[in-house]
Amino acid sequence: MNIKLTAVNSKYIHSNLAVYSLKAMAASKGFDVDILEFTINQQEDTILRAIYETKPDVIAFSVYIWNVKMIEEIIDDLADVLSNAEIWLGGPEVTYRSREIMEKHPNITGVMRGEGEKIFVNLCRYWNSDKTEAALKDIPGITYRTEEGIFSNPDESVMDMDEIPFAYEHVNLPEHRIFYYESSRGCPFGCTYCLSSVEKGVRFRSIDLVKRELKYFIDNKAPQVKFVDRTFNCDRARTIKLWEFIKENDNGITNFHFETGAEILNDSEIELLNSMRPGLIQLECGVQSLNKETLKAIHRSMDFERLSENVMKIKKGGNIHIHLDLIAGLPFEDLESFKRSFNGVYELRPAQLQLGFLKVLSGSPMAFESDEYGCRYKKMPPYEVLKTKWLSYDDVILLKKVEEVFEVHYNSGQFTNTMEKLQQHFEDGFSMYEKLASFYDEKGYFEASHSRIRRYEILLEFIKENNLDPDEFKESILTDIYLRENLKNRPAWAPSLKEYDGRIRDFYKREAEEPEYLTSYKNYDWKQLRSMTHIEVFDKRAYLFDYRERNPLDHSAKMMVIWEEQ
């Protein structure tokens, strides 16, 4: 039986944990299935052809909000060219509307609802036997089609986490991929916008099993492992044991990403985090809103004062990338309230601040409460909010524009020094980015793509437009430029370094003979050293940018003072 588990990922570097887990579960019961992985950036014809050429008997797709539209189009064409193949779907985007999507697409054979491992094994037994409709009737957790119509069986029971085989054990881990891993399912919290709130309680994989599997990633030098546990640190003792294990087995390469509740971290956990190799751990922490009425409505408890204290303690260690999240469009949060939420979180200066928009997911409590809040959202994925009782569509448009410039000028990490200096001339962070968004809008800059150098030129225009002296910002802009890359074509507006040319040349000649600063560069002549690094002079102080020695958190070059003139 030729069975293909098919994933359409959002990016090439991503892997699909669901299909790997189903394959591992099937293999543990003696069933051989193959995985096909694509991305949403590929042409649909390319995906269709690749699937067709494998001549499958069964094609099972893993469906999410980012790929459902593409998959819906592909399956209609697949049914025409592979008329005898069964088409099955699974995943969060179809679990709570299985009948609806089967009515929309009459060529879908069935849908696996919810947790899929046991369901998929039972279907493998069905596919490899003398198939009868009666057999399908006995498989929990599926919605399926017969000549008589569409039928839904009772839900399948959830699994003991230790019964699920390790998803990647028999997989050659490709380079430059992110590997998703789960050590638990469920969430202790009940946020109404999240599908994790549907399942009550948390199930954990045994800690010894998790350690063995993490060691596999470490031994195979996986670049990044992202835990999909909804709140990884909900069990403090377990969290500390796993973080200690990761620290003790650090290979200097693998990075681990966790979704955590920052406000529930204690000093022992923070002390452990601060002792890690820089870049070993990343933390993503959901804040969502600072509006107490909003937090109450979405059933989210959050002590922002405690969260802020913990974030600042972690940042003080200088070794942990922290990513904080906000959601626009939640109940009781109008534009002014969201501005306050933004400014409160922005003051913490996380490595990234995700300005997201509410997505009303099928099956979530928010989907059932949306009318109560006057929440109108897009009818098609990703079901993003359009307006609420408190937030107009005009407000949403404004926030979208702010989000766009914020992604470029803050989250990219390419303008850090300049934006920090510019902040001093504005009342607060939101005001600055709102005005920058208005400037982009007026100039038509949202309508075109821009090179990074052009972005800096636009920023200089914005500075001048606000009656500030562009010359005062050229130092910070040049610092930002050369921290990121060794730019070969110097910007036309940058001050000339010609008067320092002899001194710069002498510096590199000394370094080639007796290195003091560039000790990691062996067997290079002075011209090669000059080409591989950069020297910039600000106010008679010379800075060397070393691109071999980069900050593991933001990947900026090491910046050193090499001389000062009195």
Side-chain angles (χ1 to χ4, degrees):
M1 196 71 175
N2 186 358
I3 303 168
K4 303 297 184 188
L5 285 164
T6 308
V8 183
N9 301 323
S10 58
K11 294 181 181 178
Y12 170 75
I13 61 171
H14 294 171
S15 58
N16 185 295
L17 175 58
V19 296
Y20 282 100
S21 186
L22 295 187
K23 175 181 171 63
M25 189 70 182
S28 72
K29 303 300 181 182
F31 299 109
D32 185 25
V33 301
D34 297 319
I35 290 175
L36 302 174
E37 283 194 274
F38 307 98
T39 79
I40 58 173
N41 299 313
Q42 291 178 265
Q43 294 293 321
E44 290 175 17
D45 279 349
T46 302
I47 299 174
L48 177 67
R49 183 168 62 248
I51 296 172
Y52 172 79
E53 288 177 344
T54 68
K55 296 297 190 291
D57 299 303
V58 176
I59 315 108
F61 288 92
S62 180
V63 190
Y64 301 86
I65 56 173
W66 65 80
N67 65 19
V68 61
K69 283 197 273 189
M70 176 177 271
I71 288 175
E72 285 190 68
E73 292 180 16
I74 289 170
I75 59 179
D76 287 341
D77 292 332
L78 269 176
D80 287 333
V81 297
L82 289 169
S83 57
N84 293 323
E86 292 190 20
I87 297 174
W88 285 76
L89 308 181
E93 182 52 29
V94 294
T95 285
Y96 298 99
R97 58 186 194 98
S98 57
R99 180 176 292 272
E100 174 190 334
I101 198 163
M102 289 185 68
E103 289 173 347
K104 182 179 178 183
H105 298 279
N107 295 307
I108 297 174
T109 311
V111 172
M112 293 174 266
R113 306 189 314 270
E115 194 168 272
E117 286 86 358
K118 283 199 291 187
I119 299 171
F120 186 65
V121 166
N122 285 331
L123 283 170
C124 285
R125 291 194 183 100
Y126 165 77
W127 292 323
N128 284 276
S129 66
D130 296 328
K131 297 188 292 184
T132 66
E133 291 178 8
L136 280 179
K137 187 178 179 181
D138 295 330
I139 298 178
I142 65 171
T143 300
Y144 62 99
R145 188 189 309 277
T146 72
E147 291 182 358
E148 284 73 38
I150 298 171
F151 299 90
S152 291
N153 294 345
D155 292 340
E156 177 61 273
S157 59
V158 297
M159 294 187 68
D160 181 325
M161 288 292 290
D162 286 357
E163 293 177 8
I164 303 171
F166 180 44
Y168 304 103
E169 189 161 6
H170 302 294
V171 176
N172 292 324
L173 301 184
E175 295 181 359
H176 312 302
R177 296 291 291 272
I178 297 172
F179 295 93
Y180 294 89
Y181 177 79
E182 59 182 351
S183 71
S184 66
R185 286 180 180 173
C187 183
F189 305 108
C191 303
T192 59
Y193 54 82
C194 181
L195 285 175
S196 293
S197 64
V198 177
E199 179 186 340
K200 304 303 179 186
V202 184
R203 289 170 287 142
F204 294 101
R205 203 161 175 81
S206 66
I207 199 162
D208 289 338
L209 193 55
V210 173
K211 287 179 179 179
R212 287 201 298 273
E213 293 166 354
L214 295 185
K215 191 67 164 58
Y216 182 84
F217 288 121
I218 293 166
D219 290 345
N220 285 277
K221 296 181 172 56
Q224 185 176 59
V225 178
K226 293 189 83 166
F227 277 66
V228 298
D229 303 43
R230 302 311 300 167
T231 306
F232 176 78
N233 60 322
C234 62
D235 182 326
R236 181 164 286 121
R238 174 188 173 84
T239 299
I240 289 176
K241 287 178 182 178
L242 288 176
W243 279 347
E244 285 176 341
F245 178 83
I246 288 171
K247 177 185 174 181
E248 291 164 4
N249 291 274
D250 180 17
N251 62 11
I253 296 171
T254 305
N255 158 271
F256 294 88
H257 179 106
F258 301 92
E259 292 187 30
T260 58
E263 71 276 15
I264 62 175
L265 289 168
N266 67 10
D267 287 342
S268 296
E269 291 167 304
I270 294 173
E271 184 179 353
L272 175 57
L273 287 170
N274 286 342
S275 70
M276 302 278 194
R277 166 179 63 87
L280 175 59
I281 296 292
Q282 292 181 2
L283 300 182
E284 181 175 351
C285 313
V287 180
Q288 319 315 7
S289 174
L290 303 191
N291 185 315
K292 292 182 179 179
E293 196 172 7
T294 297
L295 294 172
K296 182 179 179 181
I298 63 174
H299 301 170
R300 183 175 182 82
S301 61
M302 193 267 297
D303 182 342
F304 185 65
E305 183 177 349
R306 177 66 185 274
L307 181 146
S308 300
E309 290 173 1
N310 285 346
V311 167
M312 297 311 292
K313 287 177 183 176
I314 294 168
K315 283 186 62 180
K316 192 174 181 180
N319 64 327
I320 304 291
H321 172 107
I322 303 179
H323 176 151
L324 301 181
D325 296 330
L326 284 173
I327 298 178
L330 294 172
F332 300 101
E333 183 134 73
D334 59 15
L335 184 59
E336 291 306 312
S337 172
F338 187 81
K339 288 180 182 180
R340 289 192 292 272
S341 292
F342 177 94
N343 286 326
V345 178
Y346 183 69
E347 282 301 307
L348 300 177
R349 297 299 193 274
Q352 284 200 322
L353 198 176
Q354 181 67 46
L355 199 172
F357 292 81
L358 176 66
K359 295 174 178 59
V360 184
L361 304 175
S362 298
S364 69
M366 183 62 70
F368 298 105
E369 298 169 358
S370 59
D371 285 343
E372 177 185 347
Y373 300 129
C375 180
R376 297 294 176 262
Y377 55 93
K378 292 182 179 179
K379 305 300 185 292
M380 299 297 290
Y383 313 114
E384 199 167 80
V385 66
L386 295 170
K387 67 175 186 175
T388 70
K389 285 182 180 179
W390 304 271
L391 202 68
S392 70
Y393 187 47
D394 285 325
D395 296 334
V396 170
I397 290 172
L398 168 62
L399 292 176
K400 283 284 184 180
K401 292 174 182 177
V402 170
E403 178 202 26
E404 189 167 338
V405 296
F406 189 75
E407 282 295 312
V408 169
H409 292 284
Y410 184 85
N411 282 341
S412 71
Q414 297 176 0
F415 302 81
T416 304
N417 294 284
T418 307
M419 300 311 292
E420 200 61 42
K421 185 177 179 67
L422 190 56
Q423 174 67 72
Q424 300 167 16
H425 299 275
F426 290 85
E427 181 182 355
D428 53 52
F430 192 92
S431 298
M432 176 174 66
Y433 289 104
E434 182 180 18
K435 197 154 189 179
L436 182 57
S438 177
F439 174 77
Y440 264 69
D441 209 16
E442 291 168 5
K443 299 290 185 179
Y445 291 150
F446 281 127
E447 299 167 12
S449 59
H450 305 284
S451 67
R452 194 158 73 88
I453 291 301
R454 178 60 185 140
R455 294 284 189 188
Y456 287 111
E457 293 170 352
I458 290 172
L459 202 52
L460 282 170
E461 288 180 40
F462 174 70
I463 288 165
K464 189 174 181 180
E465 187 101 349
N466 282 273
N467 300 314
L468 301 172
D469 183 358
D471 289 338
E472 292 182 12
F473 290 85
K474 288 180 179 177
E475 178 178 324
S476 63
I477 289 179
L478 284 170
T479 299
D480 284 330
I481 287 174
Y482 285 107
L483 279 172
R484 300 296 295 187
E485 66 175 303
N486 188 5
L487 197 69
K488 298 306 179 185
N489 296 318
R490 189 169 177 78
W493 48 262
S496 172
L497 294 175
K498 189 172 182 179
E499 65 177 293
Y500 300 103
D501 193 61
R503 194 164 184 177
I504 290 172
R505 183 173 59 251
D506 291 342
F507 168 82
Y508 282 115
K509 286 182 175 179
R510 288 196 305 272
E511 286 297 304
E513 294 174 4
E514 296 183 18
E516 178 183 354
Y517 297 94
L518 300 175
T519 54
S520 65
Y521 295 75
K522 304 291 184 182
N523 303 318
Y524 292 105
D525 63 34
W526 72 271
K527 291 182 180 178
Q528 289 171 315
L529 292 179
R530 185 169 187 170
S531 174
M532 297 165 73
T533 61
H534 178 72
I535 290 175
E536 194 64 47
V537 182
F538 301 127
D539 193 25
K540 298 184 178 181
R541 178 180 292 176
Y543 294 86
L544 173 67
F545 294 81
D546 183 353
Y547 299 98
R548 282 193 170 182
E549 299 290 331
R550 288 185 177 271
N551 184 311
L553 299 189
D554 62 12
H555 305 291
S556 60
K558 184 177 182 180
M559 184 178 173
M560 300 170 278
V561 177
I562 55 173
W563 81 69
E564 290 185 77
E565 293 183 4
Q566 301 301 320

